Amino acid sequence: MTSHLDALGNDRVRRFLAEGQSDGPVLVVDSEVVRANYAKFAHALPDTRVFYAVKANPDPKILKLLAELGSCFDCASVAEIDMALATGASADRISFGNTIKKERDVAAAYARGVRLFAVDCREEVEKIERAAPGAKVFCRILADGAGAEWPLSRKFGCAPEMAADVLEHAHVRGLIAYGVSFHVGSQQNNVGAWDAALASAAEIFRECERRGLALSMVNLGGGFPTRYLRDVPAVEAYGASIFEALRAHFGNRIPETIIEPGRGMVGDAGWIEAEVVLVSKKSDAEDEIRWVYLDIGKFGGLAETMDEAIRYPIRTAHDGGATAPCVLAGPTCDSADVLYEKTPYPLPVSLSIGDKVLIEACGAYTTTYAAVAFNGFLPLASHVI
Amino acid sequence: MTSHLDALGNDRVRRFLAEGQSDGPVLVVDSEVVRANYAKFAHALPDTRVFYAVKANPDPKILKLLAELGSCFDCASVAEIDMALATGASADRISFGNTIKKERDVAAAYARGVRLFAVDCREEVEKIERAAPGAKVFCRILADGAGAEWPLSRKFGCAPEMAADVLEHAHVRGLIAYGVSFHVGSQQNNVGAWDAALASAAEIFRECERRGLALSMVNLGGGFPTRYLRDVPAVEAYGASIFEALRAHFGNRIPETIIEPGRGMVGDAGWIEAEVVLVSKKSDAEDEIRWVYLDIGKFGGLAETMDEAIRYPIRTAHDGGATAPCVLAGPTCDSADVLYEKTPYPLPVSLSIGDKVLIEACGAYTTTYAAVAFNGFLPLASHVI
């Protein structure tokens, strides 16, 4: 099914691009691929509610489609909450999943009917108490992120040992201590990555029970990968592995679960068409590497090439011919706007100035990362078909 | 003069901020500081024309002021050329300084009257030949960038040994082989950094002369620093050192020179007011470090904290009291949105949720780097006073 849909998406996107005229880089997202991805998650984790991570791609058409399919929404800000509500979804399908919230934003979300909030410390609990009395909170815990391709830091979550205290703090203040969340890291290629975090979550459930608090929910976060250059396990494998871990750690008292796919939902649904602006060498030495400059770079949407973390597949009209490694860079006057240099990228030797290239798996974390107007270049144009 | 103006700018900015009500982070640029910076460059390098690097901050008020003061403009794109022209400046005050240009953008610039273009390879020369016949070109060469704080890569420029070939290629094709440019790296703290590059430039002048080409101009680029946490040499010191190097390498045949300050022109003219959204710890351990989360981060304007390259001074209402090191992070749901962690930032222990902080020296490379809407957060608001 995947390969058929990939081909379908690819064909639909190529047809759309062939009909249009774009002066700059353009992202095209195939809504049929998003629809299929939603179905895969629903099928692989049948008892788990899907909260789409709006930040991955908040295009109104994508949100509308997912709302129609029954998705809930993980929102990072009041603006994202408003985007989710604009689909017609009710507020009980929204989680304010950012652990770092201004108190007035908590109040704004509460006024819109949102009743589910992420926290990872007592200070955040106290904001919720004041601005969203009686709401449900879940406590995010640190997970180690081993196996993830996009850097994971200690930014979100508290040590698991602190979680019961945070949840009790919420309970004492009249909030509903609802559950535990974690994130195993973005583009997580290890289907077993959820196991250790679920062991911690189960321990927190038991500790809370000892304190008289009955938690209800485990938020399994995101991390589901999309296919870039290397194959990734199927969603079904993640579903099976997660279900096994739930059974191992929670026995026959499996809690309510939710997932927050972002990249896994829209990543492989998007293609960016870009243009080769320049192909050159830095000297006339025989072994000098070619530099290929595209009209999109780190500041125009491909921010996830930071530290060469995400390596996108790139298709050209010359594929199949001889290739040679290139340094690949963006169009801005910024030295840091280089996509791949430490590990040069093999591209056809016949690739020339003016050629179009198709960058695959660009549906997530591209449009919103694009800079407002760096070097005067417009933000990434986007179409959902 | 510097300290007086810093204080003045600071006072004017604080007064402006005190009068306004901002819900999110806001940049305020004091045009009087920009005016003073322009005067310093004009005074320190009296025979050198100033081409302001528009990409550093393209605010129309800043461009208008600089145009009135007599500045020329270094532009990275057609959009920036249009911004420069919108000030009323004539096209002969504009350089299309990006070495990576679409041929149709060269044509668009030419149609607007621009006649000065950067190149660093034969392929780019051929675009100029076709789209801007008869124009002046200068060849950018690689410089090593030692002493610069913002990463410099090999992205722009060719090996100095190739420059005469590139310029001859231009001459043969009916273009005016006009000169040589280089960039010693952004936030360059070594006033002697221009010496080696000027030696290379002089050698290229001699080689071109042997080939019957009389070059006219050396573009000294930018790199002039702004004061962040550490003192930097005064513009006068750069002027003296550059003049000395010109004399050493060009003798009594000193060429026309231009400079392209960006950060040095607007960096210390801007202050960002931000808000503390959360102060928390990851565990209850005694020695656990505090995390301070602001409502601005890497994706909201402070992109130059990448790899902790630029370290901004941060003022708070609690300054003078006890401080402790903090991890400083932005407000988005992105693990990479951490400003300072490898080298924690000392902040007052009494700093609390809701406090405002003033981040200094934010006039350059902030507004345009800001993401369109990452996590739904608005791009950085900006006022020039």
Side-chain angles (χ1 to χ4, degrees), chain A residues 65-324:
Chain A
L65 169 65
L66 288 170
E68 285 164 8
L69 294 172
S71 186
C72 300
F73 298 96
D74 164 39
C75 297
S77 65
V78 175
E80 285 192 355
I81 290 170
D82 285 338
M83 293 176 211
L85 290 172
T87 66
S90 52
D92 61 356
R93 288 165 66 183
I94 291 171
S95 161
F96 199 160
N98 193 339
T99 53
I100 309 154
K101 300 174 289 296
K102 290 180 181 174
E103 189 168 320
R104 56 186 180 277
D105 288 345
V106 174
Y110 188 76
R112 286 159 172 76
V114 175
R115 294 293 180 270
L116 183 60
F117 296 86
V119 298
D120 67 359
C121 61
R122 297 181 188 80
E123 295 79 358
E124 195 74 13
V125 163
E126 291 161 17
K127 291 183 201 165
I128 313 283
E129 177 202 0
R130 290 186 294 267
K136 295 174 183 170
V137 298
F138 55 92
C139 183
R140 180 157 169 179
I141 58 171
L142 287 163
D144 77 359
E149 287 187 21
W150 181 243
L152 191 73
S153 71
R154 298 180 73 239
K155 182 174 177 188
F156 309 103
C158 62
E161 306 78 60
M162 195 168 105
D165 291 343
V166 171
L167 288 163
E168 190 172 23
H169 199 69
H171 173 74
V172 168
R173 275 158 180 76
L175 299 172
I176 299 171
Y178 198 61
V180 173
S181 80
F182 54 81
H183 201 292
V184 296
S186 199
Q187 186 69 7
Q188 175 55 263
N189 292 315
N190 173 14
V191 300
W194 280 257
D195 186 73
L198 280 170
S200 292
E203 177 52 37
I204 295 162
F205 269 61
R206 287 191 291 273
E207 173 60 25
C208 283
E209 196 167 24
R210 284 192 282 273
R211 301 182 188 193
L213 296 181
L215 302 184
S216 304
M217 183 267 283
V218 174
N219 177 344
L220 301 159
F224 307 97
T226 203
R227 191 189 186 285
Y228 294 104
L229 280 170
R230 286 181 295 162
D231 280 330
V232 295
V235 171
E236 291 72 19
Y238 288 89
S241 179
I242 287 169
F243 185 70
E244 197 179 311
L246 280 166
R247 284 283 295 274
H249 300 296
F250 287 90
N252 57 2
R253 296 175 63 192
I254 291 183
E256 175 191 340
T257 51
I258 70 176
I259 53 171
E260 298 172 335
R263 188 188 307 280
M265 189 73 84
V266 295
D268 65 350
W271 284 257
I272 286 176
E273 186 183 63
E275 181 178 334
V276 176
V277 182
L278 181 63
V279 181
S280 65
K281 292 186 174 187
K282 296 292 165 188
S283 83
D284 291 325
E286 192 71 31
D287 58 349
E288 184 73 30
I289 196 167
R290 280 180 311 160
W291 281 65
V292 173
Y293 300 89
L294 300 178
D295 65 354
I296 188 167
K298 223 169 218 164
F299 302 105
L302 302 181
E304 291 205 314
T305 57
M306 187 169 83
D307 298 328
E308 310 196 7
I310 298 289
R311 202 162 171 88
Y312 292 100
I314 301 176
R315 305 290 165 216
T316 79
H318 306 275
D319 289 353
T323 68

Side-chain angles (χ1 to χ4, degrees), chain B residues 55-261:
Chain B
K55 61 183 175 290
N57 191 327
D59 189 288
K61 285 189 190 170
I62 293 173
L63 299 184
K64 182 87 179 153
L65 169 65
L66 288 170
E68 286 165 8
L69 295 173
S71 185
C72 301
F73 299 96
D74 164 39
C75 296
S77 64
V78 175
E80 286 192 355
I81 290 170
D82 284 339
M83 293 177 209
L85 290 172
T87 65
S90 51
D92 61 356
R93 289 164 66 183
I94 291 171
S95 161
F96 199 161
N98 193 339
T99 52
I100 309 154
K101 299 173 289 298
K102 291 180 180 172
E103 189 169 319
R104 57 186 180 275
D105 288 345
V106 174
Y110 188 77
R112 286 159 172 77
V114 176
R115 295 291 181 269
L116 183 60
F117 295 87
V119 298
D120 68 358
C121 61
R122 299 181 187 82
E123 294 80 0
E124 196 74 13
V125 164
E126 291 161 17
K127 290 182 201 166
I128 314 284
E129 177 201 359
R130 289 187 295 266
K136 295 175 184 170
V137 297
F138 55 92
C139 182
R140 180 157 169 180
I141 58 172
L142 288 162
D144 78 357
E149 288 188 20
W150 181 244
L152 191 72
S153 70
R154 297 179 74 238
K155 183 175 177 189
F156 308 104
C158 62
E161 306 78 60
M162 195 167 104
D165 290 343
V166 171
L167 288 163
E168 191 173 21
H169 199 68
H171 174 73
V172 169
R173 275 159 181 73
L175 299 171
I176 300 172
Y178 198 62
V180 173
S181 81
F182 54 81
H183 201 292
V184 296
S186 198
Q187 186 68 9
Q188 175 56 264
N189 292 315
N190 173 14
V191 298
W194 279 257
D195 185 73
L198 280 171
S200 293
E203 176 51 38
I204 295 163
F205 269 59
R206 286 190 293 271
E207 173 60 25
C208 283
E209 196 167 24
R210 284 191 282 273
R211 301 182 189 194
L213 296 180
L215 302 184
S216 305
M217 183 267 283
V218 173
N219 177 343
L220 301 159
F224 307 97
T226 203
R227 191 188 186 287
Y228 294 105
L229 281 170
R230 286 182 295 162
D231 280 330
V232 295
V235 171
E236 291 73 16
Y238 288 89
S241 179
I242 287 169
F243 184 68
E244 198 179 313
L246 280 166
R247 283 284 295 273
H249 300 298
F250 287 89
N252 58 2
R253 297 174 62 189
I254 291 182
E256 175 191 340
T257 51
I258 70 176
I259 53 171
E260 298 173 334

